[in-house]
Amino acid sequence: MSSSRNAAIAAKDLLSIEELSPADIGLILDTAAGFAETQSRSLAEAASKLGGRTLVNMFFENSTRTRTSFEIAAGRLGMRTVNLDVSTSSVHKGETLLDTAKVVEAMGAEFLVIRHAASGAAHLVARNVSCRVINAGDGQHQHPTQALLDALTIRQVFGRIEGLRVAIVGDILHSRVARSNTQLLTRLGATIALIGPRAMVPDAMSALAPNVEVFHDLRSGLESAGGAHVVMCLRLQLERHRTPIFPSAAEYRRTYGLDEKSIGWAHADAIVLHPGPVNRGVELSSGLLDSRRSFVLRQVSNGPLIRAAVLALLGEKRG
Ligand code: CP
């Protein structure tokens, strides 16, 4: 890889942003950027090392973007992908997550990509298998490759991350995306405004990382520190609410929904991000989602680049 020849991220697995140093993060972003070049030599070089290896997607929760982009990324590297169909697997006969992972590894999988509703599921597997494990989202804990592709998108637009103000709006408490992004972006020198109702953004969440502030008023949060350069909207994680914590979607939209008017409270050059899936007209207006300020589809395009970079850098360690 052009900027990372013989380089690798330090850990066996990619489980959380906490394990990545700023140098690791920079290496992943630079490697992904190199893969974006037309007829990328670094991509061809990575494919010569990874071609023919097997990746197994083990998704115990629904996914469109993450699972598909791992499959596309692996394809660009000449790898084989198997998508475990959890709904018809022996999990439904009582086989545990760990035993399922060991079975898949015994068949020759060298990379396991795991999404699971339980926080810590990928960590549990990683401690008990020899192959590489990538966390594709565990409960409300971490979604590291989403944060990495968000950072790549921000860097492409602004040319930097240091010194930017990033507002994350919505159901922060239940969001693995918010957790991973807050840790990653502050590590690279951004400051963060977490915005939402108290039930979704408790004041204690300012301790998530240095340079994080909590706001319960959308306008105050977007205007703070000279105005947010990036506004990241999050979906209400209804599947993780034991009891309803907001009266209705209409009430949420009125108070915290981002639209063509409220984006005016952020920095004049502000862009809008959303990890998806978007509930159009709830957390984000349809008009703003489809506007020039929206980089939501750029985020999606960056998914295979980041995931290919992670596969290449984790695979690099094997002799
Ligand atoms: N952002 C994200 O994780 O999307 P999917 O649930 O579609 O994978």
Side-chain angles (χ1 to χ4, degrees), residues 62-66 115 143 146 275-276:
N62 294 344
S63 171
T64 297
R65 282 148 283 266
T66 312
R115 171 170 289 189
H143 193 351
Q146 178 67 44

Side-chain angles (χ1 to χ4, degrees), residues 21 35 54 71 91 117 120 127 177 179 201 214 290 293 305:
S21 67
F35 287 175
T54 300
E71 191 165 355
V91 166
R127 281 197 300 275
V177 172
R179 215 164 254 97
V201 195
V214 166
D290 296 331
R293 285 186 182 273
L305 294 174

Side-chain angles (χ1 to χ4, degrees), residues 22-41:
D24 289 332
I25 295 166
L27 179 58
I28 296 168
L29 299 185
D30 289 347
T31 302
F35 287 175
E37 291 165 10
T38 313
Q39 295 185 324
S40 168
R41 281 183 56 199

